[in-house]
Amino acid sequence: MKEKISITAIASLSPLGSTLEETWQSYQNKEHCFSLVDNNGEKSWVAPMSKSGRVLVEKLRVSDSKYRKLDDSVLYAMVASRLAVRNSGWKSDAEFGINLGSSRGATKLFEQFHTEFLETGLASTLSSPTTTLGNISSWVSHDLGATGPEISHSITCSTGLHSVLNGVAWINSGMANKFLVGASEAPLTDFTIAQMKALKIYAKYDESGSTSMNDLLTVIERNQNYPCQALNLEKENNGMILGEGASVACLEKGVVKNALATIDGLGYATEILKHNTSISANAVCFQKSMKMAMGNFNPSEVDVVVMHAPGTIKGDLSEYNAIQKVFGSNIPSLTTNKWKLGHTFATSGILNLEMALLMLQFNEFIPVPFLKQEVVKKKIKKVMVNSVGFGGNAVSILVSKS
């Protein structure tokens, strides 16, 4: 790291809520956010937007005639960005860059327009402008009246953390002092869910009312099963579940007073592909990204790793193997949030970052309820955040309490 970067605010809309307070309270209970929906003639687990988040989105949608035709992924990003900028204290005339991305983009609108095309042979006038990936950053820039550079990108599920990398690069280059970074995803559509099921990685559901996984562990006091067994390294079936949401962070140059945390290290790496969705058994990409993020820090200084852990057999185990390779006998406390809110594709990395910031703020480890985990007794000072996408595009970010 050329210079520390401060995270002065972070905001999200997700199955957990629409404020940091609501999100933190959600992490305090052992309930998951999944519900069942009818999908292509069968029931599927999903993690939909929270009620409070949905209210904010619908309020924005009807506030301007131009917003009514936008995809949910764009509206999610606009709401989250408004909240982040408000919490940062940035003034309306502040110059800042914007880098927001998405793995899938305007899934709902794209499927809707394509269905209409198949039925009529005609494309809607707005089918192109409302489904382009650039919609997310450009509409956020329009809504906020921003004057700095605005960038959109898609690097599968590590898109969100790649936006952090890019924001830091712009700041360290001297071309900007502030950057708004994040991602948005609204993938709860028939075709998107069908794509994940085609990969054989989606959690299955039996009409008996429980998941088909034989190894589901039960929280006795709640008598509640967990459909997504993220970080359960002994599971015999894949259990990824899709969620939706947006999360946005405000970055500033140097150590800023009252910042939520500072970024102490960044790492990134890419696997050599053997398959379109492949990752090696020991996740070489994660080994490289975590080592790069730690830099000269001793591995024993890292207190917690927020894992990508999508809930798939190979994905969870390979990341754990990489952590063993990097940390040896000093393995930090490990956690993930996908057992609770599912995999939000591009947004997942920023939601992992939000989870890390909350643990730093409250000095409290957020465990996975169905695993036997020791309570973190020491003060949480440094947290590693991981994210990876199809193609082995790994990113690791080391954050500490400022």
Side-chain angles (χ1 to χ4, degrees):
M1 284 286 291
K2 181 179 179 181
E3 183 177 2
K4 285 188 176 183
I5 302 295
S6 292
I7 303 173
T8 54
I10 192 164
S12 67
L13 299 179
S14 79
L16 301 176
S18 58
T19 66
L20 284 178
E21 293 76 17
E22 189 178 3
T23 297
W24 177 248
Q25 287 303 312
S26 183
Y27 276 128
Q28 297 306 293
N29 67 58
K30 297 178 181 179
E31 299 176 0
H32 62 69
C33 300
F34 304 126
S35 57
L36 289 164
V37 297
D38 291 322
N39 166 251
N40 289 330
E42 61 182 21
K43 291 186 181 298
S44 302
W45 289 106
V46 297
M49 177 67 68
S50 65
K51 291 182 180 179
S52 63
R54 179 57 63 185
V55 168
L56 293 175
V57 171
E58 293 308 314
K59 184 178 179 180
L60 174 64
R61 192 192 305 274
V62 300
S63 68
D64 190 314
S65 60
K66 296 188 295 295
Y67 295 169
R68 297 180 187 184
K69 300 293 185 180
L70 298 178
D71 188 74
D72 280 351
S73 59
V74 179
L75 295 174
Y76 292 173
M78 291 168 69
V79 174
S81 296
R82 284 184 177 186
L83 294 172
V85 170
R86 184 185 69 189
N87 295 340
S88 72
W90 292 356
K91 297 181 179 179
S92 58
D93 60 347
E95 185 172 335
F96 56 88
I98 297 173
N99 190 172
L100 302 176
S102 180
S103 174
R104 302 293 165 139
T107 51
K108 183 178 180 180
L109 282 186
F110 199 95
E111 291 178 33
Q112 174 186 315
F113 287 136
H114 187 250
T115 298
E116 292 174 359
F117 174 73
L118 293 178
E119 292 174 350
T120 67
L122 300 174
S124 169
T125 303
L126 294 178
S127 60
S128 175
T130 57
T131 59
T132 55
L133 180 61
N135 258 302
I136 296 180
S137 287
S138 59
W139 276 107
V140 167
S141 179
H142 163 80
D143 186 59
L144 296 176
T147 57
E150 58 98 348
I151 305 160
S152 298
H153 71 253
S154 178
I155 311 177
T156 63
C157 301
S158 56
T159 296
L161 290 195
H162 269 285
S163 71
V164 177
L165 293 182
N166 204 30
V168 170
W170 274 77
I171 292 173
N172 280 337
S173 73
M175 297 175 67
N177 291 320
K178 298 180 176 70
F179 239 86
L180 189 70
V181 298
S184 183
E185 210 76 61
L188 304 187
T189 63
D190 287 351
F191 184 57
T192 309
I193 294 173
Q195 287 177 304
M196 297 302 104
K197 288 184 176 182
L199 291 171
K200 310 300 183 184
I201 60 177
Y202 212 79
K204 295 180 180 179
Y205 173 76
D206 284 337
E207 288 300 325
S208 60
S210 63
T211 60
S212 62
M213 292 185 289
N214 297 321
D215 61 346
L216 279 181
L217 302 179
T218 302
V219 177
I220 297 175
E221 65 270 23
R222 298 193 61 81
N223 191 29
Q224 178 182 347
N225 288 333
Y226 291 89
C228 178
Q229 289 283 297
L231 203 48
N232 174 9
L233 302 180
E234 297 179 357
K235 59 180 173 287
E236 298 177 355
N237 296 276
N238 291 317
M240 193 190 86
I241 299 174
L242 288 183
E244 59 181 351
S247 189
V248 177
C250 295
L251 307 183
E252 296 189 36
K253 183 177 182 179
V255 179
V256 178
K257 184 179 180 181
N258 298 324
L260 298 176
T262 58
I263 298 174
D264 294 349
L266 299 169
Y268 50 89
T270 303
E271 292 259 334
I272 298 175
L273 284 176
K274 293 183 179 180
H275 182 271
N276 289 0
T277 63
S278 66
I279 188 169
S280 58
N282 294 319
V284 174
C285 57
F286 267 136
Q287 292 184 50
K288 291 180 178 179
S289 67
M290 288 188 288
K291 287 178 181 178
M292 185 186 297
M294 280 194 295
N296 295 324
F297 290 111
N298 191 301
S300 63
E301 294 183 63
V302 180
D303 302 307
V304 178
V305 176
V306 180
M307 295 174 61
H308 180 73
T312 62
I313 295 172
K314 291 183 179 180
D316 292 10
L317 185 57
S318 62
E319 185 178 0
Y320 179 76
N321 290 341
I323 290 170
Q324 284 187 311
K325 293 282 188 181
V326 171
F327 290 94
S329 60
N330 295 307
I331 293 182
S333 297
L334 308 178
T335 191
T336 180
N337 52 24
K338 291 186 179 66
W339 66 269
K340 189 175 185 74
L341 56 84
H343 194 348
T344 54
F345 285 153
T347 307
S348 63
I350 303 294
L351 289 174
N352 284 352
L353 178 61
E354 179 186 64
M355 185 185 192
L357 298 184
L358 286 169
M359 286 190 286
L360 287 170
Q361 179 181 345
F362 292 99
N363 190 37
E364 183 178 328
F365 179 67
I366 301 172
V368 179
F370 48 78
L371 299 179
K372 293 181 179 179
Q373 295 177 293
E374 294 184 6
V375 177
V376 181
K377 296 180 180 180
K378 61 180 180 179
K379 184 175 177 59
I380 300 175
K381 295 181 180 179
K382 291 188 184 298
V383 181
M384 181 81 75
V385 180
N386 280 346
S387 184
V388 70
F390 288 158
N393 298 295
V395 179
S396 298
I397 296 179
L398 185 63
V399 293
S400 67
K401 182 65 176 170
S402 58

